[in-house]
Amino acid sequence: MSERAALAATLYRRVYRIRRAEQAIIAHYGENGMKTPMHMSMGEEAIAAGVCTALARGDKLFGYYRSHALYLARTDETERFFGEMYGKADGAVGGRGGSMHLAAPDVGLLAVSAIVASTIAPAVGAAFAERARGTGNVVAAFFGDGAMEEGVFWESLNVACVYRLPIVFVCEDNGLAVDVTAMERQGFRSIKKAVAGFACDYAGANTTDALKIHQLATAARASTLATGRPVFLHLKYYRLLQHIGIQSDFDGAAPGFEKTGYRSRAEYEKARRRDPVRIARLAAARNGCTVAEIKAIEAEIDREVDASLAKARHSAAPDPCTVTDHVFAPTEDTARMERTPPMERTA
Amino acid sequence: MTTATIAAPAETAPRHAGASQGANGTRQAARLLSYGDALNEALHQEMARDERVFVYGIETKAFGSLRGLAERFGPARLLTTPICEEAMTGFGLGAAINGLRPVHVHIRVDFFLLAMNQLANMIAGFHYGVVGELPVPLVIRAIVGRGWGQGFQHSKSLQSIFAHFPGLKVIMPTTAYDAKGMLTAAIRDDNPVVSIEHRWLYWQEGEVPEAPYTVPIGPGRVLRDGGDVTIVATSWMNVEAVQAADILARRGVSVEVVDVRTLAPLDDTVMVESVAKTGRCVVADCDWVSYGASAEIAARIGEKAFGRLKAPIERVGFAPAPCPTARELENAFYPNAGTLVRAAERTLGLSPADLSGENFYSHERRFTGPF
């Protein structure tokens, strides 16, 4: 397999794993075993796969509540993912985080937050640490277009530019905050122009092609390391499902959290035709993967997802006695912190 | 009382503070240092000891506690920051979970409120949320206290708010000895530690060994032994409590002063033992009373020493108002040794003593404006 074919195969494998995992969530969410609010990634798979594949082993990543894709693309595993969805002791964070707080510190996915824009500031601090330690690693901070309405986004961009840190700000722009369009929320018409005044570089695309995103992210990573200027990577996508939950706005779905009619069926159909999974499959074939190779990838992922889901459903729940474990890191001093017993009552 | 110096007596500090001995196992020779200089020495020593430690804030003086750090360690380890409180607090988290040991300095705790999202939503729960996989060795120093006509946005004390969130340690060192030892312990701790430092304490002098040492985050300490009534105090209120003890001693009342030192997690052993002995308790916090640290402390004593109490617990704190600026109003807002004497008298059933001849601590003792 050529280098190009291998890359296309890797991207397809990642995109397909994300999609299959979320299809499994949809199939089983109604059984009420996964008691965690789902913010589904369907539609953004190419961004997670493209950027993660461009990053190096030591790079650090920060996400937000819509981070199934980010977690799966970075970890290449589904066992701990489903463990966390089912709130099990062997979940990604032991049943302490659920869908909105996935993390995988062992591979550099350090934090995922349920509050818009909240991980962007820690991402900047992590980039400072990489530079201070002279590692040659970068940080990728993922957020949605809604984060740009938060003060802490601008503060963080400002700090990263002042300190000239190795960071890529990855804006996953679906144009919606729940069901409110960018026009209704933002006092600027162009994200590119809004960040143009900062000492950072901008790159952007409106594509569902993971290969193109990989190329952009590779360049962004190299650029921030070479120049010391942060890069703002602006990637548009279409959110295929509702803001929260497993429903589409179309296909006879029940109304969700959103108002009705906030986007059109024509737009949705257009997005379906450029579905990132379909595009990645075509790209794999175009770049030299055989049909047999593609089908082998799919079969392997199908087995992996089914096995992970089955394992998660039957694995042990966390022990209730551990509810206060890990509130503090162990130190010499915390051993004494247990509440002392009451004094003997003499009156 | 002409000065408010609190020394760490040789027999008291090791017993209650668990003070580390010098490297050779012998106690260091006595040396007086101000609280601010003690903090400064801790930072110098810890930055020299561990190159992962760095310090940052919107200004790099912090009442003298950052003196000489830029010259010695360079601008990469003493950062001046943009005025971005929330981002710079999250920045500390990111640096702490990625191999560094940041010390963030807020010259007014009021500014810290801009960063509460990072503190409460990101930092406090972080270690828990990754099931212990990443420590958060972050120190946030916040300077509180009475200024000079500072008003209601430059004078808060928010210790009870920080102490409310599981996952944060909150310390309030009072003496110069504890200032150095507890800041050293905080920097070496793998948890986020909020250090609340009252600005009037910066001029207080005390005995401080030159060699590095730690004072454990956790236990309180008996600052002054007594048998009739216990004053459990935080931070600056210990200085007022010691003066109140002097005044009451002249009436034959023996006051025990317990310095809480660490508010979270709260180790109530020392205060409960003291109240079990005296049977009377005044809780003095430099903060509002309602829902404040004084409420938690009083509840703990009620839970654990109920049978030993001979009178209701008294609480002393700020007047229930935003902090005013005019001196007459400021004086009415802040409690002092006189307020504590009155509270102690109530628990003891004593008539109010004449305090007109007392010289209470005031701005004019040390600081005179204008800036």
Side-chain angles (χ1 to χ4, degrees), chain B residues 191-207:
Chain B
N191 294 285
V193 180
V194 178
S195 176
I196 306 281
E197 303 159 5
H198 194 290
R199 78 181 78 171
W200 279 14
L201 292 171
Y202 272 61
W203 304 301
Q204 306 299 313
E205 288 190 333
E207 206 178 290

Side-chain angles (χ1 to χ4, degrees), chain A residues 25 29 34-40 65-66 68 81 85 99-100 242-246:
Chain A
I25 289 172
Y29 199 42
M34 294 180 266
K35 298 177 193 297
T36 176
M38 297 290 181
H39 295 77
M40 304 288 275
Y65 50 86
R66 199 178 304 286
H68 291 173
F81 173 79
M85 296 300 131
S99 166
M100 296 198 285
Q242 295 178 344
H243 163 67
I244 185 169
I246 57 170

Side-chain angles (χ1 to χ4, degrees), chain A residues 137-207:
Chain A
N137 296 328
V138 306
V139 170
F142 291 76
F143 51 90
D145 50 306
M148 297 188 67
E149 290 136 53
E150 294 281 7
V152 73
F153 164 77
W154 298 103
E155 288 187 19
S156 302
L157 180 63
N158 183 58
V159 171
C161 291
V162 169
Y163 293 157
R164 300 177 61 84
L165 298 177
I167 184 167
V168 180
F169 292 95
V170 184
C171 177
E172 299 186 273
D173 178 3
N174 63 24
L176 291 170
V178 185
D179 55 12
V180 184
T181 63
M183 287 283 281
E184 299 168 90
R185 296 180 281 118
Q186 295 179 340
F188 46 87
R189 286 293 158 259
S190 159
I191 285 177
K192 180 179 182 178
K193 285 182 188 163
V195 299
F198 285 82
C200 67
D201 294 310
Y202 173 96
N206 184 1
T207 178

